[in-house]
């Protein structure tokens, strides 16, 4: 193995080792979970960078999507220990991941980095362009306090919306709502994504159940609040929230969407507020709730501001066209 001198020290050229994704298909003859009866919607490739002594220096994960509308896409997560940066570790990992994406016939690689960080500069120097900017925010929840002590969510949850009622459930959607819930996912089709080529996502009952099963399989709790149109019983919008299995730490908002024909009535704010209220009652030990929103989505950013979410940092979505 060769060595070279960097600005800080002399290091061995990192060894890049392909790894088996621990979440991958167990293969023929292995026991499979019930949700594995259908082909997975994606799989991951992984690499570990290490030095001559086998000490880990960094890693890369490349998610390859299989469903129609996203077969052109790969999603990269790359990390290098701060002490090992600027020594070629990230470049070697990136070369391995991009080479694999090309071999798999992918046309786009997406990667995320904190805005203004060394990671953003690294991606830009290697041909990635910024296609989306996100603001991350957190709603702090004081342990031991009741749900009514958050004035923004409490007021919004009480606001009446004639013609609509709220339905909520934990885990998988109830059978009687499964079809209309899958149909309501088109509320996310026009979510602002700026120049990001994220493809098209087709939702059906099997897919919404697959997502719920995946959350449960890793030990987390999924909660959904939906707005139901009382005129025909269909779902007009929804919001999803995932909580750690022990009910502590920070929960994570997944998606909030309202169908175009039902917008302008404040349903998004009411659903998200009700979700906050319910999760406070169920899990008083939660520390906070996390959310992220595209900077080009002023409607959802306004909801977050009104409910008391505090911005924590910004990130950029970067895209490499192969």
């Amino acid at each position: 193995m060769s060595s070279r001198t960097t600005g800080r020290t002399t290091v061995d050229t990192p060894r890049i080792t392909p790894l088996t994704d621990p979440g991958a298909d167990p293969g023929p003859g292995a026991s499979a979970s019930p949700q594995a009866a259908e082909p997975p919607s994606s799989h991951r490739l992984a690499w570990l960078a290490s030095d001559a002594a086998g000490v880990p220096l960094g890693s890369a994960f490349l998610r390859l999507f299989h469903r129609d509308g996203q077969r052109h896409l790969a999603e990269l997560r790359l990390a290098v220990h701060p002490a090992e940066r600027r020594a070629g570790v990230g470049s070697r990992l990136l070369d391995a991941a991009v080479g694999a994406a090309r071999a798999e016939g992918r046309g786009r690689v997406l990667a995320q980095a904190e805005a203004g960080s060394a990671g953003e500069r690294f991606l830009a120097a290697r041909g990635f362009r910024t296609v989306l900017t996100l603001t991350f925010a957190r709603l702090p929840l004081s342990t031991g306090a009741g749900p009514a002590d958050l004035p923004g969510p409490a007021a919004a949850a009480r606001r009446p919306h004639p013609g609509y009622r709220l339905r909520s459930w934990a885990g998988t959607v109830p059978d009687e709502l499964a079809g209309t819930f899958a149909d309501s996912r088109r509320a996310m089709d026009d979510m602002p994504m700026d120049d990001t080529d994220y493809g098209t996502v087709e939702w059906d009952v099997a897919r919404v159940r697959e997502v719920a099963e995946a959350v449960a399989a890793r030990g987390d709790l999924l909660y959904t609040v939906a707005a139901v149109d009382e005129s025909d019983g269909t779902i007009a919008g929804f919001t999803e929230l995932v909580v750690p299995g022990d009910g502590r730490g920070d929960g994570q908002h997944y998606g909030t969407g309202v169908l175009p024909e039902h917008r302008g009535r404040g349903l998004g704010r009411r659903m998200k507020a009700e979700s906050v209220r319910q999760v406070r009652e169920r899990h008083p030990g939660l520390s906070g709730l996390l959310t992220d929103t595209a900077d080009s989505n002023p409607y959802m950013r306004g909801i977050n501001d009104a409910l008391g979410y505090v911005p924590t940092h910004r990130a950029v979505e970067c895209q490499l066209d192969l």
Side-chain angles (χ1 to χ4, degrees), residues 173-197:
V173 59
D175 290 345
E176 69 273 14
L177 290 175
T180 182
F181 181 52
D183 292 342
S184 74
R185 303 296 301 212
R186 67 180 173 86
M188 307 295 286
D189 288 351
D190 59 354
M191 178 176 63
M193 296 295 288
D194 294 2
D195 292 332
T196 310
D197 182 6

Side-chain angles (χ1 to χ4, degrees), residues 155-178:
R158 290 193 302 266
R159 181 182 175 184
H161 288 76
Y164 298 90
R165 67 179 185 277
L166 297 186
R167 282 287 306 271
S168 59
W169 61 85
T172 305
V173 59
D175 290 345
E176 69 273 14
L177 290 175

Side-chain angles (χ1 to χ4, degrees), residues 261-306:
E261 57 269 31
H262 297 281
R263 291 174 185 167
R265 297 173 173 86
L267 294 175
R269 180 175 174 180
R270 186 187 180 197
M271 290 187 301
K272 200 163 188 176
E274 177 64 12
S275 180
V276 173
R277 188 195 68 79
Q278 289 186 13
V279 82
R280 290 298 307 284
E281 287 186 343
R282 288 171 168 143
H283 304 288
L286 271 181
S287 300
L289 299 175
L290 306 175
T291 191
D292 60 89
T293 309
D295 283 3
S296 55
N297 188 352
Y299 174 72
M300 189 55 63
R301 288 174 59 198
I303 289 177
N304 294 337
D305 291 345

Side-chain angles (χ1 to χ4, degrees), residues 4-15:
R4 59 194 179 84
T5 301
T6 69
R8 58 177 182 82
T9 185
T10 299
V11 298
D12 291 317
T13 300
R15 177 189 295 115

Side-chain angles (χ1 to χ4, degrees), residues 138-143 247-251 283-289:
R138 182 176 185 268
L139 179 67
L141 306 175
S142 53
T143 302
R248 297 187 177 277
D250 285 346
H283 304 288
L286 271 181
S287 300
L289 299 175

Side-chain angles (χ1 to χ4, degrees), residues 230-255:
E230 292 185 325
S231 68
D232 58 10
T234 61
I235 290 178
F238 64 90
T239 187
E240 295 172 312
L241 178 61
V242 173
V243 173
D246 62 1
R248 297 187 177 277
D250 285 346
Q252 174 72 57
H253 288 282
Y254 266 32

Side-chain angles (χ1 to χ4, degrees), residues 4-79:
R4 59 194 179 84
T5 301
T6 69
R8 58 177 182 82
T9 185
T10 299
V11 298
D12 291 317
T13 300
R15 177 189 295 115
I16 306 299
T17 305
L19 302 178
T20 299
D21 180 9
D25 185 343
S31 60
S33 60
Q35 60 264 32
E38 293 292 328
S41 60
S42 67
H43 78 280
R44 291 194 305 175
L45 304 178
W47 297 266
L48 175 69
S50 57
D51 65 13
V55 176
L57 307 174
S59 61
F61 292 88
L62 186 73
R63 182 170 297 281
L64 302 167
F65 296 88
H66 303 321
R67 292 185 181 273
D68 291 341
Q70 290 189 306
R71 295 182 189 274
H72 67 293
L73 186 64
E75 193 172 66
L76 175 66
R77 294 288 181 266
L78 190 153

